[in-house]
Amino acid sequence: MKQRTGYRTLRGALLVSAAAGLLISGQAYAQETGQTEPTSQELEELVVVGSRIRRDTFNAPSPIQVITREESTLAGLTSAADLLQGTAVTGGTAQINNAFGGFVTNGGPGANTLSLRGLGAGRTLVLINGRRVAPAGTRGAVGSADLNVLPNAMIERVEVLRDGASSIYGSDAIAGVVNVVTRSDIEGVTVEGQYNRPFNEGGEQGRFSIVGGASGDRWKVAGSFEFYEREELTLADRDWTRCNTDYLFDPTTGESADYIDPLTGRPKCYPISSTGSNGVTINTLGTASMAGVAAPGAVLADGTIPTVFNRWRPNAAITTGDLPGFEGVGGPGGIDLNVRDTFDPRMLNESLISPVQVYTAFGQASYEFEALGNAEVYAEFLGNKRDSQQTGYRQLSLDYAVGSPLLPESMQDLAPFLGPQPITNGQNVAARAFIGFGNDKSEQSVEYYKGTAGVRGDLTFLPDWRYDANVSYARSDAKYMFEQFLIDRLSESLDVVAAPAGLDASLIRRAADGSSITCRVNTTNPARGCVAAPVLNTQTLAGQLPEDWVDYVFRPVIGTTVYDEWNASASVDGPLVDLPAGEAMGAFGVEFRRSEINDTPGEDMINANLYNFSTATPTRGDDSVIEAFGEVEVPLLANLPFIKELTVNGSARYTEYDSYGSDWTYKAGGVYRPLEWLSFRASYGTSYRAPALFEQFQGATSGFLSQQGDPCNNYGGPNVNPNRAANCAAELPGQPDFQQTQSIRVFSQGGAAQGLEAETSDNLTLGVILQPELPEAFGEFAFAVDYYDIKVENGVSRVGSAALLSLCYNDPAFRSGGGYCRFIERDENNALTVFDAYTNIATQIVTGVDYSMRWTRDIGPGNFRFNAQLSQYLEQKDKLFPDDPYDNYNGTIGNPRWTGTFDASYRYAEWTFRYGVDWIDGMDSTTYLEVDPAADPYVFKVDDYFEHYLSVQYAEEDWSVTAGVRNLFDKEPPQISMGYYNRVGNAPLYSGYDYVGRELFVTLSKSF
């Protein structure tokens, strides 16, 4: 029976040894070591990612990396997400993973995406068996494949094209393509289980799968079911995340320059402030300025003790001043904000890594007919369900109106602290309670389905030509929940009056003076059922809040996101003409794709009823594209002196979007092999990417950041970024103790209505492959070097409101330099507004070199194999506008210049031993941030990071066991100072570092 499959495999195993050494850049792992170059009898025709043309070799002008299932098992990886986001594939560029659950990311919390070359997940295409994986996730910004949906148990190998291929696959294949190839020849049933157990508590992972298959003379069927679970890892579970400090040092003495908490005598902790100093304050009261007694450490910049304050902390020992029972922790004159309370033990319950449960089912089947050119009908189905959760921590700013019965008698006559706020029913604010509210929960449930049906066979009227036509439909149906304070309920609970006789006792609360009070709404409509807010006292400030009131004002807000994608494609391929050097081959086809997004936030979010949180309107839109493509490969010369092979390849694609019109993309490349052991390859291609649906149609969002997010708050205080201090002084002269009293307004939305345009890019790759003939005693050796240059122009970008503020006010050029400050306005009342819509602003350039080496040799009774892969970034830079200078961030934190992966294995009989190392080069942002190490206390430099792995496998014909240790030496992430980068503890928020620590893994497999 002749197998007809678009992605044909080698018989028995993927034999990528001698031939692959010439052709594959990166780690090319063979399931059977010690093999020589496959013969034509061993090798069937196959299609490898990067081309539509079937070949009997891996010869291609573009660098391809192949990773097999066995390698993933030996490395102790529990999922395809872990594999694809590792340094070996990404070259150390930052990825969105389960450590980003508390941040706003595309795809929503819990999604894991892939970004090659650091160009973003929207520019990396993910395929299963050559067919695209539709986006999945929650909230409006769904536009990339979620790696959680991949069928881990069915993966045979992963092919990574580290080159642009828009003319081959479509517009989003700019930075590269990942093709997941599933196992095709399965007979019987295999049961497999894996457990990863960190040596410290938290973060355990488990995976269980069943894979089965059967075949007959003309049919095949195979499928899998698997369950994966990852336990939560919290800030409390690791020593290095329990106390986020400023991490500052005296540049002269080297001694710590962190703020010392007067209450503990140790550097102050800011567990939930991603930057550090001046973190979220709790257990604090804000009022108009009054006379009082200073708290320990509350001194002015000149060292004098202040007597006037507008921020207070409970202290029953204080009996003097205008506010007995409170000590001053802030006020006019520049008192250090760090005096205020910033730590609550419940902060350490926050998720460091989100817990998740994933269920995946995958099935594939085919049947051959003796008609339509020996046609084979095939089908695939993928079903996936992800349940992910995050624990956060919330501060509550609760405003009490002037004269409110909820205020104690001593505060009834307080002067206004602020004007009317969203929850004070039009009344001036007498006091604001900064309360450590406690933990909140976010949850996501995503159901993903993808079905494909097609037919392929021979074109009987064209010898050796084949056709393939298929249709597919994918749907991501998601629900997301987050707990929020509702403005209307807070307002009702704070609007209290004397309780009338006969009112339900459950609706009555005692005021500060002991009288019975209730919500005003309860007196006009007793059936309404409002719960009065707690009185302002030390217990309230400490976060000890009545449970019935919390249940009334703090409610789950639920939204839904649906993403649908329809695909239809038809293609033909075969020989064009016989040439002296071989057959010229061609592939031609058409594709149609339609996508639709419908994100509906919760009603309270749409109606702007969330307190100190953004509003969002629905994101709804659709787009369709029809494309025609062609690829031709021509062997020009072969088997001549100094021209063993000269082959050129060209492809072109015509793309017409319903929304963005049409354009052409193309790619040209070639392979030149002057000697048996030396090859050169090159390619150049262009791309044309229409903005993703969410970039076009994301619903208008009008939100607020807390006034504490103003970068100029207390800019004259200690340990403030010097660039920020200078910029704020220029904008707010003579106000070093400035305090913002108004929330920061944020406007954002999709860019279709503002004329958002498609982006373009070009990609150049040049490579050299060496495979010298060595004496048998020296084994086999292969080495490849590939240079790449990618430029994205007119790029679609949205920076983020908090990031815009930080980038603008930390920029030495500030408003005179344009850039990020173009999106920020400060009015005559000092109120800030941030504009953050998707727009065409970015030009991004990435250049670098990939090096890969493999050496295999028989040693003793077994076979030794060594692999090495290095990625060197020569340039990583971007700019927002054409007249802006480039910001070169190559080598800065999160963007290493060098990364590498190394592994050595030895196979003897049924045993395999493996040792691996991941390396991330040291990174330094000192120059980029214009920090002077001789004068400034900041540390923005980290050393090289090495992570070691060790494993052993014993494999019989029908069972195997693999055990090992990841992060063998329990390497912790390096530490940096506060003030610029988001951090976890004191470590950069960067996916290249391991947050779990040393862990043991065991994998058991049994076939029947």
Side-chain angles (χ1 to χ4, degrees), residues 744-759:
I744 302 168
R745 186 93 175 185
V746 178
F747 292 99
S748 62
Q749 66 184 102
Q754 284 74 41
L756 187 66
E757 299 176 357
E759 66 181 31

Side-chain angles (χ1 to χ4, degrees), residues 178-508:
V178 170
N179 182 39
V180 174
V181 181
T182 61
R183 300 154 71 180
S184 59
D185 296 314
I186 300 174
E187 294 288 343
V189 176
T190 298
V191 178
E192 185 171 274
Q194 180 176 348
Y195 180 63
N196 285 36
R197 176 67 167 82
F199 279 61
N200 296 310
E201 292 297 323
E204 297 91 343
Q205 299 178 76
R207 179 176 59 84
F208 174 79
S209 66
I210 300 176
V211 177
S215 63
D217 184 48
R218 296 164 60 184
W219 60 271
K220 287 195 304 183
V221 63
S224 67
F225 175 80
E226 60 189 291
F227 171 70
Y228 167 75
E229 182 173 23
R230 181 165 203 160
E231 299 292 337
E232 184 176 37
L233 186 68
T234 70
L235 297 180
D237 289 331
R238 297 292 179 266
D239 290 337
W240 59 273
T241 57
R242 291 175 184 163
C243 183
N244 176 342
T245 66
D246 290 340
Y247 202 68
L248 302 174
F249 296 89
D250 187 297
T252 303
T253 66
E255 299 292 326
S256 173
D258 286 350
Y259 179 82
I260 302 300
D261 190 339
L263 299 181
T264 65
R266 293 177 294 183
K268 195 154 192 174
C269 298
Y270 314 91
I272 65 168
S273 172
S274 61
T275 53
S277 189
N278 304 328
V280 173
T281 182
I282 60 172
N283 196 36
T284 300
L285 182 68
T287 70
S289 296
M290 295 185 292
V293 178
V299 297
L300 300 177
D302 60 5
T304 60
I305 298 176
T307 58
V308 176
F309 306 90
N310 57 27
R311 299 291 190 278
W312 311 84
R313 180 170 59 200
N315 185 343
I318 303 298
T319 59
T320 60
D322 292 339
L323 200 61
F326 290 85
E327 59 187 10
V329 292
I335 301 173
D336 195 324
L337 296 180
N338 297 295
V339 177
R340 306 172 192 177
D341 292 348
T342 60
F343 180 77
D344 180 336
R346 294 174 294 179
M347 293 177 176
L348 299 183
N349 296 332
E350 186 170 286
S351 299
L352 172 59
I353 294 181
S354 301
V356 66
Q357 303 83 38
V358 180
Y359 306 81
T360 306
F362 182 83
Q364 58 190 24
S366 63
Y367 183 83
E368 291 187 0
F369 291 91
E370 295 179 351
L372 299 176
N374 296 319
E376 180 186 47
V377 176
Y378 61 92
E380 289 179 359
F381 173 78
L382 171 62
N384 175 273
K385 186 177 190 297
R386 165 170 63 91
D387 294 315
S388 51
Q389 312 86 36
Q390 298 81 37
T391 302
Y393 181 88
R394 293 291 294 271
Q395 180 214 50
L396 172 62
S397 299
L398 196 57
D399 292 328
Y400 290 85
V402 172
S404 171
L406 298 171
L407 292 170
E409 184 177 356
S410 60
M411 298 184 186
Q412 287 290 325
D413 297 325
L414 288 178
F417 169 56
L418 295 170
Q421 297 298 303
I423 61 173
T424 58
N425 301 285
Q427 303 297 309
N428 289 331
V429 177
R432 169 169 288 176
F434 296 95
I435 300 168
F437 174 75
N439 299 119
D440 65 313
K441 293 287 186 181
S442 299
E443 298 178 353
Q444 306 83 39
S445 180
V446 184
E447 296 181 356
Y448 180 87
Y449 307 97
K450 182 177 187 290
T452 300
V455 58
R456 55 195 166 209
D458 296 326
L459 290 174
T460 56
F461 55 90
L462 284 175
D464 296 324
W465 277 77
R466 286 154 289 188
Y467 68 89
D468 189 344
N470 61 77
V471 295
S472 67
Y473 170 69
R475 180 181 179 90
S476 170
D477 195 342
K479 179 183 293 185
Y480 55 94
M481 184 280 295
F482 44 89
E483 296 175 313
Q484 293 291 334
F485 296 101
L486 303 185
I487 292 175
D488 58 354
R489 295 196 175 202
L490 283 169
S491 299
E492 291 174 356
S493 73
L494 288 163
D495 187 14
V496 297
V497 294
L503 189 65
D504 187 340
S506 65
L507 304 178
I508 298 175

Side-chain angles (χ1 to χ4, degrees), residues 673-901:
R673 184 156 54 99
L675 303 169
E676 292 290 351
W677 53 270
L678 175 65
S679 294
F680 299 92
R681 62 185 171 207
S683 67
Y684 176 81
T686 64
S687 71
Y688 168 78
R689 186 181 81 91
L693 292 182
F694 74 91
E695 293 170 334
Q696 297 182 51
F697 304 115
Q698 187 170 40
T701 299
S702 175
F704 296 91
L705 296 176
S706 168
Q707 60 263 36
Q708 292 180 333
D710 191 324
C712 291
N713 283 337
N714 199 42
Y715 69 80
N719 302 329
V720 175
N721 183 298
N723 293 333
R724 179 182 298 189
N727 294 337
C728 291
E731 193 163 80
L732 300 164
Q735 304 180 61
D737 56 350
F738 172 78
Q739 288 292 304
Q740 181 62 264
T741 60
Q742 304 174 71
S743 296
I744 302 168
R745 186 93 175 185
V746 178
F747 292 99
S748 62
Q749 66 184 102
Q754 284 74 41
L756 187 66
E757 299 176 357
E759 66 181 31
T760 60
S761 68
D762 53 66
N763 189 318
L764 171 68
T765 302
L766 304 171
V768 180
I769 308 100
L770 302 173
Q771 190 185 16
E773 290 286 343
L774 301 177
E776 184 176 351
F778 289 90
E780 296 180 355
F781 176 81
F783 180 74
V785 180
D786 287 284
Y787 167 83
Y788 60 89
D789 185 336
I790 306 172
K791 183 176 183 179
V792 178
E793 295 186 282
N794 210 31
V796 178
S797 180
R798 178 172 174 262
V799 181
S801 54
L804 282 170
L805 287 165
S806 178
L807 291 166
C808 170
Y809 281 89
N810 288 334
D811 186 353
F814 196 38
R815 296 192 181 278
S816 63
Y820 300 100
C821 292
R822 303 186 191 196
F823 303 106
I824 296 170
E825 294 181 357
R826 189 184 293 271
D827 66 18
E828 64 277 5
N829 297 317
N830 290 327
L832 280 175
T833 301
V834 182
F835 300 91
D836 189 26
Y838 288 98
T839 186
N840 297 103
I841 54 177
T843 298
Q844 190 169 0
I845 295 176
V846 180
T847 64
V849 182
D850 290 331
Y851 309 84
S852 61
M853 186 270 282
R854 183 180 65 258
W855 178 56
T856 63
R857 183 180 185 275
D858 290 334
I859 299 177
N863 180 267
F864 174 80
R865 182 184 68 197
F866 177 77
N867 291 285
Q869 178 178 313
L870 293 173
S871 292
Q872 178 189 13
Y873 292 93
L874 303 175
E875 283 185 312
Q876 298 181 80
K877 62 185 183 181
D878 60 18
K879 61 181 179 178
L880 286 178
F881 298 98
D883 56 344
D884 286 345
Y886 278 105
D887 280 329
N888 190 348
Y889 51 88
N890 191 35
T892 64
I893 291 170
N895 305 283
R897 281 191 172 89
W898 286 90
T899 62
T901 60

Side-chain angles (χ1 to χ4, degrees), residues 109 137-140 442-445 478-482 556-561 599-602 605 616:
T138 59
R139 306 194 66 178
S442 299
E443 298 178 353
Q444 306 83 39
S445 180
K479 179 183 293 185
Y480 55 94
M481 184 280 295
F482 44 89
V557 177
I558 298 173
T560 61
T561 307
D599 175 67
T600 305
M605 193 171 194

Side-chain angles (χ1 to χ4, degrees), residues 42 99 104 115 119 149 186 357 381 391 412 482 523 594 603 651 674 753 806 850 907 916 932 936 939 970:
E42 293 177 310
V104 178
S115 167
L119 293 175
V149 310
I186 300 174
Q357 303 83 38
F381 173 78
T391 302
Q412 287 290 325
F482 44 89
T523 65
R594 183 178 186 274
E603 183 177 353
S651 58
S806 178
D850 290 331
R907 175 172 292 182
D932 181 2
D936 298 324
V939 176
D970 201 21

Side-chain angles (χ1 to χ4, degrees), residues 553-737:
V553 300
F554 194 60
R555 306 293 299 170
V557 177
I558 298 173
T560 61
T561 307
V562 176
Y563 194 103
D564 294 288
E565 187 168 282
W566 296 261
N567 280 275
S569 67
S571 63
V572 295
D573 70 277
L576 297 172
V577 64
D578 282 327
L579 299 174
E583 286 186 321
M585 304 293 291
F588 307 92
V590 293
E591 295 183 357
F592 171 80
R593 184 170 67 257
R594 183 178 186 274
S595 302
E596 181 177 339
I597 190 172
N598 185 344
D599 175 67
T600 305
E603 183 177 353
D604 288 297
M605 193 171 194
I606 295 174
N607 295 332
N609 194 36
L610 305 185
Y611 184 51
N612 284 339
F613 201 78
S614 63
T615 67
T617 57
T619 297
R620 292 172 183 155
D622 61 78
D623 202 358
S624 61
V625 57
I626 186 166
E627 300 175 290
F629 64 87
E631 181 184 3
V632 175
E633 186 167 277
V634 180
L636 298 179
L637 298 170
N639 301 317
L640 297 174
F642 299 104
I643 309 179
K644 299 300 180 183
E645 177 188 359
L646 178 60
T647 301
V648 295
N649 179 284
S651 58
R653 176 175 291 251
Y654 176 76
T655 301
E656 184 171 340
Y657 279 94
D658 183 54
S659 58
Y660 281 89
S662 61
D663 202 356
W664 283 90
T665 57
Y666 65 88
K667 185 176 182 179
V671 175
Y672 169 52
R673 184 156 54 99
L675 303 169
E676 292 290 351
W677 53 270
L678 175 65
S679 294
F680 299 92
R681 62 185 171 207
S683 67
Y684 176 81
T686 64
S687 71
Y688 168 78
R689 186 181 81 91
L693 292 182
F694 74 91
E695 293 170 334
Q696 297 182 51
F697 304 115
Q698 187 170 40
T701 299
S702 175
F704 296 91
L705 296 176
S706 168
Q707 60 263 36
Q708 292 180 333
D710 191 324
C712 291
N713 283 337
N714 199 42
Y715 69 80
N719 302 329
V720 175
N721 183 298
N723 293 333
R724 179 182 298 189
N727 294 337
C728 291
E731 193 163 80
L732 300 164
Q735 304 180 61
D737 56 350

